[in-house]
Every structure is written in C-alpha cells, then in structure tokens.
Amino acid sequence: MELKTSADTSERTTTLNSPPTHVAIIMDGNGRWAASHGKSRSEGHRAGTENLRRIIEAFIRHGVKCLTLYAFSTENWDRPPDEVNTLLEIVNEVIRSEVQVLHREDIRLRHIGRIDRLSPQLRRSICESIELTKHNSRMTLCVAFDYGGRAEIIDAVRSMITDGVQPEDVSEDMLRRYMYTNGMPDPDLIIRTSGEQRLSNFLIWQAAYAEYYTTPVYWPDFDETEVEKALEAYASRKRRFGKVL
Ligand code: IPE
Ligand code: IPE
Ligand code: MG
C-alpha cells in the first residue's frame, strides 16, 4: 500500500472551505455488491477491503484528520459463522500486510469496540499496531470492530461505577472521557453507503450533531469522486448546533 504524500497530490486537492475534522463511515453494501456481480458475500467483503487504500488516501488529501471506519458491529456476530470467520480473517490479514505501511505514512491507528471476544492472537496484533503508531500525526485511522454504541455506553457506565464516580459528578464531559472514543473529536460527517438511512448502532452518543450523508453506491464502488461528492455536500450544510445563526 503506497499512500501518496500531500506534496505529490496537492494539485488534485479541492479547496473546500473547512473540511470536516472527523469523518466516520458506515461501509455498507458489500453483500449486495457481490450479488450484483454474481460473486459470494466473502468476495464482496474482500472487494470492500481493497477499497480502503484509495479512500484513506483521498481523505488525507482533503485534509481530514480523523477517519473512523465501521468494520464489524456487535450485531454482526449473528451472521452465518462462515461469513463471520471471513471477516475475522480479513482483519487479521489487513493488520499483517498494512500496519507497517500505515506507520511509514505517519498514520495513527486506533480501535473502538470490544476486544474480549477476539482471539488472543488478534487482540495482540491490534494492541501492537496501536502501540507502534501511537505517536503518528498525519491522520488517526480508527477502526470500529466489534463495536456497538449501546455496548460502549454500558461499558462506560460500568467503568464509572467501578471508579466510584458520584452521581453529582456525572457530566457530558465525564461520560465522553469514559467512551471508547476518549480523546477523539465527535464526528462532523457520517457517511453511509448502499442507500440505507440508519445508524445501525454506530457512534450513537458521538453523532448527536454530526452531518449525515447517504449514497446508494455500494461500499466497494465508493471511490474518490464519491468522497468529493460527500465532502461537497458537507461543505454546503449550515451547522447550527441548536443556535439561531
Ligand atoms: C457491510 O456490508 C460490511 C459489514 C457489515 C461487515 P454488508 O455485508 O452489510 O452488505 P449488505 O448490506 O448485505 O449488502
Ligand atoms: C452496519 O451494517 C455495520 C457495518 C457496516 C459494519 P449492517 O449491514 O450490519 O447494518 P443493518 O443490519 O443493515 O442495519
Ligand atoms: Mg449491510
């Protein structure tokens, strides 16, 4: 994986007034993409994975500092075992083949979600990748794997109780610090591919004021032009945060 540096690609950068700091993507439609090409669902997931490089590169080029990718939800465990195994295999392979490249490209990796249901070997490689890249600063790439917004809130409440937090000390700022996303800004833009119009348990706390963008394009077909369309739609939104502006 070779990500282009900002110097090689500056002439292709569109000047958006203020790009979103944090973009989060619900990468949906791998199965329907596969069906429409007469392929298996596993092939759809592989095609979706191959799409990651160009998309990361495109968001870096547009100045996005944090990209969160929804790769596997807490509900996705209920899919057929073969499909779940393929998804676990893919994440293993991606870590093995891409982490050094991401590190060279100054990208910091993060994981949000539970790790206790993953194999010890996968858990170890996730932790090692996070450790290796923790001082990188060009972009934070956050992978939501075994992630569920409801599980995240439950885990936060449990940790607060364990820490003996008193009811009067509970505040939005405190809850934020107990979330998996501690230290990350809230998403400014949430993109969902494949035309669905729901969050499917993704960043339900953090998305309170995110702008939402959906496109009928299936994830494996979501390319640089689609990235530009999403960012242009975002640039045209007027964010009011409840105020009169
Ligand atoms: C998204 O594609 C990938 C995961 C949820 C892991 P899907 O597998 O949900 O694709 P569709 O929705 O069936 O087309
Ligand atoms: C959401 O997609 C989860 C991911 C993209 C990882 P799903 O395909 O699981 O969502 P639903 O079932 O259509 O809501
Ligand atoms: Mg889906």
Side-chain angles (χ1 to χ4, degrees), residues 191-215:
I191 297 172
R192 184 165 188 153
T193 56
S194 89
E196 307 299 350
Q197 308 216 24
R198 53 178 172 265
L199 282 177
S200 300
N201 205 10
F202 188 46
L203 299 177
I204 52 178
W205 160 272
Q206 297 86 344
Y209 268 101
E211 293 297 321
Y212 193 69
Y213 176 85
T214 184
T215 166

Short mmCIF file of all heavy atoms in Angstrom, two decimals, residues 191-215:
data_model
loop_
_atom_site.label_atom_id
_atom_site.label_comp_id
_atom_site.label_asym_id
_atom_site.label_seq_id
_atom_site.Cartn_x
_atom_site.Cartn_y
_atom_site.Cartn_z
N ILE A 191 -20.92 9.15 6.87
CA ILE A 191 -21.29 8.72 5.52
C ILE A 191 -21.79 7.28 5.60
O ILE A 191 -21.16 6.45 6.27
CB ILE A 191 -20.05 8.75 4.59
CG1 ILE A 191 -19.53 10.18 4.45
CG2 ILE A 191 -20.36 8.13 3.22
CD1 ILE A 191 -18.19 10.29 3.70
N ARG A 192 -22.91 6.99 4.95
CA ARG A 192 -23.33 5.59 4.85
C ARG A 192 -23.52 5.25 3.38
O ARG A 192 -24.27 5.92 2.67
CB ARG A 192 -24.62 5.30 5.61
CG ARG A 192 -24.94 3.80 5.55
CD ARG A 192 -25.97 3.36 6.56
NE ARG A 192 -26.06 1.89 6.56
CZ ARG A 192 -26.44 1.16 7.59
NH1 ARG A 192 -26.75 1.72 8.72
NH2 ARG A 192 -26.49 -0.17 7.49
N THR A 193 -22.85 4.19 2.96
CA THR A 193 -23.01 3.74 1.58
C THR A 193 -24.18 2.76 1.50
O THR A 193 -24.69 2.30 2.52
CB THR A 193 -21.72 3.08 1.06
OG1 THR A 193 -21.37 2.02 1.95
CG2 THR A 193 -20.57 4.08 1.01
N SER A 194 -24.60 2.46 0.29
CA SER A 194 -25.63 1.46 -0.04
C SER A 194 -27.06 1.93 0.20
O SER A 194 -27.98 1.10 0.14
CB SER A 194 -25.37 0.12 0.66
OG SER A 194 -25.99 0.08 1.93
N GLY A 195 -27.23 3.21 0.47
CA GLY A 195 -28.57 3.78 0.49
C GLY A 195 -29.37 3.63 1.77
O GLY A 195 -30.45 4.19 1.89
N GLU A 196 -28.85 2.89 2.73
CA GLU A 196 -29.61 2.75 3.98
C GLU A 196 -29.58 4.07 4.74
O GLU A 196 -28.61 4.83 4.66
CB GLU A 196 -29.00 1.65 4.88
CG GLU A 196 -28.80 0.30 4.21
CD GLU A 196 -30.09 -0.33 3.72
OE1 GLU A 196 -31.19 0.18 4.04
OE2 GLU A 196 -29.99 -1.32 3.00
N GLN A 197 -30.63 4.31 5.50
CA GLN A 197 -30.71 5.58 6.23
C GLN A 197 -30.88 5.31 7.71
O GLN A 197 -31.90 5.62 8.30
CB GLN A 197 -31.88 6.40 5.70
CG GLN A 197 -31.82 6.52 4.19
CD GLN A 197 -32.28 7.86 3.69
OE1 GLN A 197 -32.25 8.85 4.40
NE2 GLN A 197 -32.70 7.90 2.45
N ARG A 198 -29.89 4.66 8.28
CA ARG A 198 -29.93 4.41 9.73
C ARG A 198 -28.49 4.34 10.25
O ARG A 198 -27.55 4.13 9.48
CB ARG A 198 -30.68 3.11 10.04
CG ARG A 198 -30.17 1.90 9.28
CD ARG A 198 -30.92 0.62 9.65
NE ARG A 198 -30.54 -0.47 8.77
CZ ARG A 198 -31.19 -0.84 7.67
NH1 ARG A 198 -32.30 -0.21 7.32
NH2 ARG A 198 -30.75 -1.82 6.91
N LEU A 199 -28.37 4.47 11.56
CA LEU A 199 -27.04 4.45 12.19
C LEU A 199 -26.57 3.04 12.53
O LEU A 199 -25.38 2.80 12.71
CB LEU A 199 -27.03 5.30 13.46
CG LEU A 199 -26.96 6.81 13.28
CD1 LEU A 199 -27.04 7.51 14.62
CD2 LEU A 199 -25.66 7.22 12.57
N SER A 200 -27.51 2.09 12.64
CA SER A 200 -27.14 0.70 12.99
C SER A 200 -26.16 0.65 14.17
O SER A 200 -25.13 -0.03 14.11
CB SER A 200 -26.57 -0.03 11.78
OG SER A 200 -27.52 -0.07 10.73
N ASN A 201 -26.51 1.41 15.22
CA ASN A 201 -25.76 1.32 16.49
C ASN A 201 -24.34 1.91 16.39
O ASN A 201 -23.44 1.52 17.13
CB ASN A 201 -25.71 -0.14 16.96
CG ASN A 201 -25.53 -0.28 18.46
OD1 ASN A 201 -25.61 0.69 19.21
ND2 ASN A 201 -25.25 -1.50 18.92
N PHE A 202 -24.14 2.82 15.45
CA PHE A 202 -22.80 3.40 15.23
C PHE A 202 -22.72 4.78 15.90
O PHE A 202 -23.52 5.67 15.59
CB PHE A 202 -22.58 3.54 13.73
CG PHE A 202 -21.19 3.96 13.32
CD1 PHE A 202 -20.05 3.37 13.87
CD2 PHE A 202 -21.00 4.94 12.34
CE1 PHE A 202 -18.78 3.74 13.48
CE2 PHE A 202 -19.73 5.31 11.93
CZ PHE A 202 -18.61 4.72 12.50
N LEU A 203 -21.78 4.96 16.79
CA LEU A 203 -21.47 6.26 17.40
C LEU A 203 -22.73 7.01 17.83
O LEU A 203 -22.85 8.21 17.57
CB LEU A 203 -20.64 7.11 16.41
CG LEU A 203 -19.29 6.54 15.98
CD1 LEU A 203 -18.62 7.44 14.94
CD2 LEU A 203 -18.35 6.34 17.16
N ILE A 204 -23.64 6.30 18.50
CA ILE A 204 -24.95 6.92 18.76
C ILE A 204 -24.84 8.10 19.72
O ILE A 204 -25.62 9.04 19.63
CB ILE A 204 -26.00 5.89 19.24
CG1 ILE A 204 -25.48 5.08 20.42
CG2 ILE A 204 -26.42 4.99 18.09
CD1 ILE A 204 -26.49 4.08 20.95
N TRP A 205 -23.87 8.09 20.60
CA TRP A 205 -23.65 9.24 21.51
C TRP A 205 -22.92 10.37 20.77
O TRP A 205 -23.33 11.52 20.80
CB TRP A 205 -22.84 8.76 22.73
CG TRP A 205 -22.15 9.85 23.50
CD1 TRP A 205 -20.90 10.36 23.28
CD2 TRP A 205 -22.68 10.58 24.61
NE1 TRP A 205 -20.62 11.36 24.19
CE2 TRP A 205 -21.71 11.51 25.02
CE3 TRP A 205 -23.90 10.54 25.31
CZ2 TRP A 205 -21.88 12.38 26.09
CZ3 TRP A 205 -24.08 11.41 26.37
CH2 TRP A 205 -23.08 12.31 26.75
N GLN A 206 -21.88 9.99 20.05
CA GLN A 206 -20.99 10.98 19.42
C GLN A 206 -21.64 11.65 18.22
O GLN A 206 -21.20 12.71 17.78
CB GLN A 206 -19.69 10.29 18.98
CG GLN A 206 -18.85 9.70 20.09
CD GLN A 206 -19.29 8.27 20.48
OE1 GLN A 206 -20.37 7.82 20.14
NE2 GLN A 206 -18.42 7.57 21.19
N ALA A 207 -22.66 11.00 17.63
CA ALA A 207 -23.26 11.52 16.40
C ALA A 207 -24.30 12.60 16.64
O ALA A 207 -24.98 13.03 15.70
CB ALA A 207 -23.90 10.37 15.61
N ALA A 208 -24.42 13.06 17.89
CA ALA A 208 -25.51 13.98 18.24
C ALA A 208 -25.64 15.14 17.26
O ALA A 208 -26.75 15.53 16.89
CB ALA A 208 -25.31 14.49 19.66
N TYR A 209 -24.51 15.71 16.82
CA TYR A 209 -24.58 16.84 15.89
C TYR A 209 -23.80 16.60 14.60
O TYR A 209 -23.43 17.55 13.91
CB TYR A 209 -24.15 18.14 16.59
CG TYR A 209 -25.36 18.84 17.18
CD1 TYR A 209 -25.66 18.76 18.53
CD2 TYR A 209 -26.24 19.53 16.34
CE1 TYR A 209 -26.79 19.36 19.04
CE2 TYR A 209 -27.38 20.13 16.85
CZ TYR A 209 -27.66 20.05 18.20
OH TYR A 209 -28.79 20.63 18.71
N ALA A 210 -23.60 15.33 14.28
CA ALA A 210 -22.91 15.03 13.01
C ALA A 210 -23.83 15.33 11.83
O ALA A 210 -25.05 15.18 11.94
CB ALA A 210 -22.51 13.56 12.98
N GLU A 211 -23.24 15.73 10.73
CA GLU A 211 -24.00 15.82 9.48
C GLU A 211 -24.05 14.42 8.89
O GLU A 211 -23.08 13.67 8.96
CB GLU A 211 -23.30 16.77 8.50
CG GLU A 211 -23.28 18.21 8.95
CD GLU A 211 -24.69 18.80 9.06
OE1 GLU A 211 -25.54 18.51 8.20
OE2 GLU A 211 -24.92 19.56 10.01
N TYR A 212 -25.16 14.09 8.26
CA TYR A 212 -25.36 12.73 7.77
C TYR A 212 -25.44 12.76 6.24
O TYR A 212 -26.11 13.62 5.67
CB TYR A 212 -26.67 12.20 8.36
CG TYR A 212 -26.83 10.72 8.18
CD1 TYR A 212 -26.01 9.83 8.84
CD2 TYR A 212 -27.79 10.22 7.32
CE1 TYR A 212 -26.13 8.47 8.65
CE2 TYR A 212 -27.92 8.87 7.11
CZ TYR A 212 -27.10 8.00 7.78
OH TYR A 212 -27.23 6.65 7.57
N TYR A 213 -24.74 11.83 5.62
CA TYR A 213 -24.73 11.76 4.15
C TYR A 213 -24.89 10.31 3.74
O TYR A 213 -24.15 9.44 4.20
CB TYR A 213 -23.41 12.31 3.61
CG TYR A 213 -23.24 12.21 2.11
CD1 TYR A 213 -23.76 13.19 1.26
CD2 TYR A 213 -22.57 11.14 1.54
CE1 TYR A 213 -23.61 13.10 -0.12
CE2 TYR A 213 -22.41 11.04 0.16
CZ TYR A 213 -22.94 12.02 -0.66
OH TYR A 213 -22.79 11.93 -2.02
N THR A 214 -25.85 10.05 2.88
CA THR A 214 -26.01 8.68 2.40
C THR A 214 -25.97 8.67 0.87
O THR A 214 -26.39 9.64 0.23
CB THR A 214 -27.32 8.06 2.94
OG1 THR A 214 -27.39 6.70 2.53
CG2 THR A 214 -28.57 8.76 2.45
N THR A 215 -25.43 7.61 0.33
CA THR A 215 -25.36 7.47 -1.12
C THR A 215 -25.77 6.04 -1.47
O THR A 215 -25.46 5.11 -0.72
CB THR A 215 -23.93 7.74 -1.64
OG1 THR A 215 -23.84 7.27 -2.99
CG2 THR A 215 -22.86 7.02 -0.83
#
